[in-house]
C-alpha cells in the first residue's frame, strides 16, 4: 500500500512538470500574398471571377497542448483586385451589340475566422516545420463596379453593379517553417490553400434577382513574426 502511494505521489508530481515543459503558446502576425486559383482566377463569364493577386493580413494564436500537436484560432482579412480590362473584353466579345466597355471595379474583400489542428517537427535547435489542416467561416463581398458602355444601336451609357455579400464555410490546408531569432521571437513563413463556395444575390433593375455561385480558391504565401508566451 505504501509503495503504491509513493508511486502515485511521484506520478502526480511528474504530470504538471511534463505538461509545463511540453505546452507552447504563441501569437503570429503575418502578411501574405494571395494568388487566386481555378474559377476564382478564370477569365470567362461562365463561373469565372476575374480575380488577380491580392494581399492578406493574418493574426493567429496557437497552443501546443502536447509535444508535437497543437490547436490554432486565427483571423484573416484580404483584398483581391479584379482584372477589369479582361472582364470588359470578355463582355464585349459575348455581346454582339456592345462595341466598347470600360469598367471601374473595386476589389473583392473577404475575412475569415478559422480553427486548425497543427503537427510540429523539430528540424534542429532553431528550425521547426509545421503542417496544419482546419476549417472556418468566411464573409466575402463582391466588388462595386461602374460600367461605361458603347452600344451599336441602343443601350445604357453608364450602369453600375452594386456589391453583394455572403457567409460561407471554408477549409484550408497548409505548411509553415519557423526560424528562432532570439528566445521567444521567431520568423515564420508559410503557404496555405483556402477553399470556399459562396452564393451572391443581386437585385436587378426593374425587379427580380440574379444569383451567382462562386468558388473561392486561393493560395496564400505568408511571412511574419512569432512571439512566444
Amino acid at each position: 500500500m505504501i509503495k503504491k502511494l509513493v508511486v502515485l505521489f511521484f506520478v502526480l508530481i511528474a504530470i504538471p512538470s511534463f505538461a509545463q515543459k511540453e505546452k507552447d503558446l504563441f501569437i503570429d502576425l503575418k502578411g501574405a500574398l494571395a494568388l487566386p486559383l481555378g474559377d476564382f482566377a478564370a477569365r470567362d463569364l461562365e463561373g469565372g471571377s476575374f480575380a488577380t493577386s491580392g494581399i492578406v493580413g493574418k493574426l493567429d494564436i496557437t497552443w501546443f497542448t502536447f509535444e508535437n500537436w497543437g490547436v490554432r484560432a486565427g483571423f484573416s482579412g484580404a483584398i483581391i483586385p479584379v482584372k477589369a480590362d479582361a472582364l470588359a473584353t470578355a463582355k464585349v466579345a459575348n455581346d454582339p451589340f456592345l462595341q466598347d466597355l470600360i469598367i471601374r471595379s473595386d476589389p473583392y474583400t473577404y475575412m475569415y475566422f478559422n480553427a486548425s489542428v497543427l503537427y510540429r517537427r523539430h528540424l534542429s535547435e532553431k528550425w521547426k516545420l509545421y503542417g496544419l489542416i482546419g476549417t472556418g467561416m468566411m464573409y466575402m463581398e463582391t466588388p462595386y463596379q461602374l460600367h461605361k458602355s458603347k452600344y451599336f444601336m441602343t443601350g445604357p451609357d453608364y450602369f453600375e453593379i452594386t456589391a453583394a455579400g455572403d457567409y460561407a464555410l471554408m477549409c484550408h490546408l497548409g505548411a509553415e517553417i519557423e526560424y528562432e531569432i532570439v528566445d521567444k521571437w521567431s520568423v515564420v513563413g508559410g503557404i496555405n490553400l483556402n477553399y470556399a463556395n459562396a452564393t451572391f444575390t443581386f437585385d436587378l433593375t426593374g425587379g427580380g434577382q440574379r444569383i451567382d455561385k462562386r468558388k473561392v480558391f486561393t493560395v496564400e504565401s505568408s511571412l511574419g513574426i512569432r512571439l512566444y508566451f
Side-chain angles (χ1 to χ4, degrees), residues 178-182 184-188 224-228:
E178 174 188 357
Y179 177 74
E180 181 182 327
I181 305 173
V182 294
K184 294 188 177 181
W185 286 93
S186 297
V187 173
V188 59
I225 295 294
R226 176 165 293 170
L227 170 64
Y228 284 84

Side-chain angles (χ1 to χ4, degrees), residues 62-63 66 130 167 178 186 196 201:
T62 307
W63 183 35
F66 299 99
Y130 299 80
Y167 291 92
E178 174 188 357
S186 297
T201 302

Side-chain angles (χ1 to χ4, degrees), residues 24-226:
D24 289 322
L25 178 66
F26 53 80
I27 185 171
D28 293 345
L29 292 172
K30 292 176 284 193
L33 176 67
L35 179 65
L37 301 174
D39 288 344
F40 195 39
R43 306 291 195 257
D44 65 77
L45 299 177
E46 295 296 327
S49 295
F50 294 83
T52 188
S53 300
I55 56 173
V56 186
K58 304 173 72 67
L59 171 64
D60 296 321
I61 300 176
T62 307
W63 183 35
F64 271 82
T65 54
F66 299 99
E67 181 178 1
N68 292 316
W69 291 94
V71 292
R72 169 177 293 175
F75 171 79
S76 299
I79 298 174
I80 310 294
V82 175
K83 192 70 172 175
D85 56 346
L87 176 59
T89 299
K91 289 197 171 188
V92 170
N94 189 63
D95 189 342
F97 295 101
L98 184 59
Q99 292 182 315
D100 191 26
L101 178 63
I102 299 174
I103 298 176
R104 296 184 62 182
S105 177
D106 289 345
Y108 288 95
T109 58
Y110 63 76
M111 58 183 178
Y112 60 83
F113 292 92
N114 61 279
S116 310
V117 176
L118 293 86
Y119 178 77
R120 173 176 62 188
R121 182 179 180 85
H122 294 263
L123 301 178
S124 67
E125 184 179 352
K126 289 185 174 292
W127 289 93
K128 299 172 188 175
L129 185 65
Y130 299 80
L132 62 99
I133 187 170
T135 187
M137 182 61 66
M138 172 188 287
Y139 176 74
M140 184 174 187
E141 282 195 354
T142 61
Y144 168 84
Q145 293 179 348
L146 181 63
H147 292 220
K148 180 182 179 182
S149 55
K150 181 180 180 182
Y151 282 87
F152 172 65
M153 295 182 65
T154 181
D157 293 331
Y158 292 91
F159 63 93
E160 62 179 4
I161 299 177
T162 57
D166 185 40
Y167 291 92
L169 186 67
M170 62 162 293
C171 58
H172 65 227
L173 181 70
E176 296 176 352
I177 190 165
E178 174 188 357
Y179 177 74
E180 181 182 327
I181 305 173
V182 294
D183 185 37
K184 294 188 177 181
W185 286 93
S186 297
V187 173
V188 59
I191 186 167
N192 272 32
L193 290 172
N194 301 321
Y195 182 82
N197 277 321
T199 301
F200 304 104
T201 302
F202 297 90
D203 294 324
L204 302 178
T205 303
Q209 292 182 329
R210 187 184 84 245
I211 297 177
D212 286 354
K213 295 183 178 180
R214 291 288 181 262
K215 296 177 181 179
V216 184
F217 190 19
T218 61
V219 55
E220 295 176 356
S221 178
S222 63
L223 184 65
I225 295 294
R226 176 165 293 170

